[in-house]
């Protein structure tokens, strides 16, 4: 059963890696290291290896003996074209379960049969949903029987607290001695922001929008070279995921966020760390202010 679960994890993991390639975060020729990907997505190296091999089988990656996997195509086909997209029913069930969990409609402990009956899922569909949920860290298999939901943010107040912690940490990361963000990382972040400004704000899914924001902030924090900053931000991002999805019911503020992201990147590209930190501080402050306007969307 453990091996089966890890195999089931490979397909959605491959889809998420593919999304990063398609959005320009992983350019052609990029070396994909298993441990880096495992750390980024909070999984073990076993499903990462399977996901990379799956992408290699589909021509997205190339494999070099004794060297590993490399991005073969800068603009590969979509997940749908490669057979890596989740069925629509699975995606809908995922968001229904997420919303019910946030609203306190689900017990702390549940069985798979209860979930199948409640959401009208087949065994395969439920397995796909639970694989994604466990990968994101807000539910885990109980020893012996059933599943347990792990503590996540469920109130507007707790979400605001995470932003206040980020306000204290992220600008400081940009001021670390020896801070450096590679030009290709800056270019990839710029491409992602411009894509949204060109229309993807309205068309991208909630999870795609969340991932784009996560990648931007984790990328610029990673430039600090301080793993403690990065690990803290990654943990915060994992636990705020569900409320972040709900906040995306109102997308009007995203254009301003994209423009602020681009301004931060301009400062980093010019080597003006103090200016970048100041712009990041303002950006996170604006986000905290905006939380009050969308508070009804976040309330249980």
């Amino acid at each position: 059963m453990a091996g089966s679960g890890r195999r089931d994890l490979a397909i959605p993991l491959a889809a998420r890696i593919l999304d990063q390639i398609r959005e320009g975060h992983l350019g052609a020729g990029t070396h994909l290291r298993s441990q880096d990907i495992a750390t980024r997505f909070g999984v073990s190296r076993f499903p990462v290896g399977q996901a990379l091999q799956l992408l290699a089988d589909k021509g997205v990656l190339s494999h070099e003996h004794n060297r590993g996997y490399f991005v073969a195509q800068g603009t590969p086909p979509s997940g749908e074209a490669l057979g890596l997209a989740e069925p629509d029913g699975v995606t809908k069930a995922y968001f229904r379960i997420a919303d019910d969990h946030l609203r306190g409609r689900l017990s702390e402990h549940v069985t798979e049969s209860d979930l199948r009956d409640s959401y009208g899922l087949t065994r395969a569909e439920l397995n796909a949903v639970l694989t994604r949920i466990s990968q994101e860290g807000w539910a885990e298999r109980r020893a012996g029987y059933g599943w347990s939901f792990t503590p996540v943010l469920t109130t507007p107040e707790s979400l605001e607290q995470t932003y206040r912690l980020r306000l204290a940490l992220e600008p400081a990361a940009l001021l670390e001695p020896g801070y450096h963000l590679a030009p290709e990382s800056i270019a990839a972040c710029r491409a992602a922001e411009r894509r949204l400004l060109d229309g993807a704000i309205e068309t991208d899914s909630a999870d795609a929008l969340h991932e784009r924001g996560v990648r931007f902030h984790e990328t610029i924090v990673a430039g600090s070279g301080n793993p403690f900053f990065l690990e803290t931000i990654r943990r915060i991002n994992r636990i705020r995921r569900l409320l972040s999805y709900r906040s995306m019911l109102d997308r009007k503020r995203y254009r301003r966020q994209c423009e602020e992201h681009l301004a931060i990147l301009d400062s980093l590209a010019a080597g003006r760390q103090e200016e970048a930190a100041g712009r990041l501080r303002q950006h996170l402050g604006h986000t905290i202010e905006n939380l009050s306007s969308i508070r009804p969307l976040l309330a249980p």
Side-chain angles (χ1 to χ4, degrees):
M1 287 297 292
S4 174
R6 288 183 292 185
R7 284 193 295 273
D8 292 331
L9 184 55
I11 293 177
L13 184 57
R16 296 179 73 183
I17 297 170
L18 176 64
D19 286 343
Q20 293 207 6
I21 296 171
R22 284 175 53 81
E23 292 175 11
H25 293 279
L26 300 170
T30 300
H31 186 193
L32 301 185
R33 296 175 175 83
S34 295
Q35 187 56 60
D36 291 345
I37 295 174
T39 300
R40 169 68 183 85
F41 291 109
V43 297
S44 70
R45 292 179 62 178
F46 183 85
V48 170
Q50 291 187 320
L52 295 178
Q53 183 59 56
L54 178 60
L55 291 172
D57 291 343
K58 294 180 179 294
V60 177
L61 306 180
S62 61
H63 182 262
E64 298 184 16
H65 184 62
N66 291 331
R67 294 193 65 205
Y69 293 92
F70 296 81
V71 177
Q73 306 175 44
T75 54
S78 66
E80 290 81 0
L82 294 175
L84 295 176
E86 286 182 341
D88 189 55
V90 171
T91 302
K92 289 181 178 178
Y94 165 87
F95 282 107
R96 285 180 60 201
I97 293 173
D99 192 60
D100 286 345
H101 178 42
L102 283 174
R103 294 180 184 277
R105 295 171 179 162
L106 292 176
S107 301
E108 181 181 352
H109 305 301
V110 295
T111 66
E112 292 188 11
S113 60
D114 287 341
L115 291 173
R116 284 200 307 273
D117 293 343
S118 297
Y119 297 95
L121 298 170
T122 66
R123 288 181 183 273
E125 289 171 338
L126 178 62
N127 192 51
V129 172
L130 291 176
T131 294
R132 176 174 176 179
I133 290 173
S134 63
Q135 179 182 334
E136 293 175 353
W138 51 280
E140 58 189 18
R141 189 183 295 276
R142 297 181 66 190
Y145 187 67
W147 288 75
S148 295
F149 289 104
T150 54
V152 296
L153 304 182
T154 58
T155 67
E157 292 80 11
S158 57
L159 182 61
E160 182 174 331
Q161 287 171 346
T162 68
Y163 275 104
R164 292 195 180 283
L165 179 57
R166 291 175 59 197
L167 183 61
L169 291 178
E170 291 189 27
L174 271 57
L175 299 176
E176 279 288 277
Y179 182 94
H180 175 71
L181 191 59
E184 54 268 28
S185 296
I186 293 175
C189 287
R190 276 200 179 115
E193 300 302 323
R194 287 173 177 154
R195 175 180 170 275
L196 290 181
L197 289 172
D198 287 341
I201 289 175
E202 288 75 28
T203 59
D204 270 6
S205 64
D207 48 342
L209 280 176
H210 174 80
E211 286 296 331
R212 155 263 175 192
V214 163
R215 281 196 292 271
F216 173 83
H217 286 275
E218 291 184 3
T219 296
I220 64 173
V221 168
S224 69
N226 186 328
F228 299 103
F229 276 112
L230 184 56
E231 179 57 27
T232 301
I233 297 304
R234 281 176 170 164
R235 289 187 179 186
I236 292 171
N237 285 333
R238 283 197 290 269
I239 63 172
R240 73 181 178 89
R241 176 182 293 271
L242 298 185
L243 278 180
S244 178
Y245 286 164
R246 182 176 287 175
S247 74
M248 290 167 194
L249 293 171
D250 178 3
R251 302 190 179 198
K252 294 189 295 292
R253 68 193 188 283
Y254 278 93
R255 180 164 294 275
R256 179 181 181 181
Q257 288 189 5
C258 290
E259 292 168 347
E260 291 175 348
H261 282 183
L262 288 170
I264 293 166
L265 293 172
D266 288 343
S267 297
L268 292 175
R272 298 193 292 266
Q273 308 310 126
E274 290 276 359
E275 180 180 272
R279 285 178 164 176
L280 178 56
R281 195 174 293 109
Q282 285 185 329
H283 167 66
L284 292 170
H286 291 157
T287 303
I288 292 172
E289 291 171 4
N290 288 333
L291 289 179
S292 61
S293 67
I294 61 171
R295 194 177 186 87
L297 297 177
L298 302 175

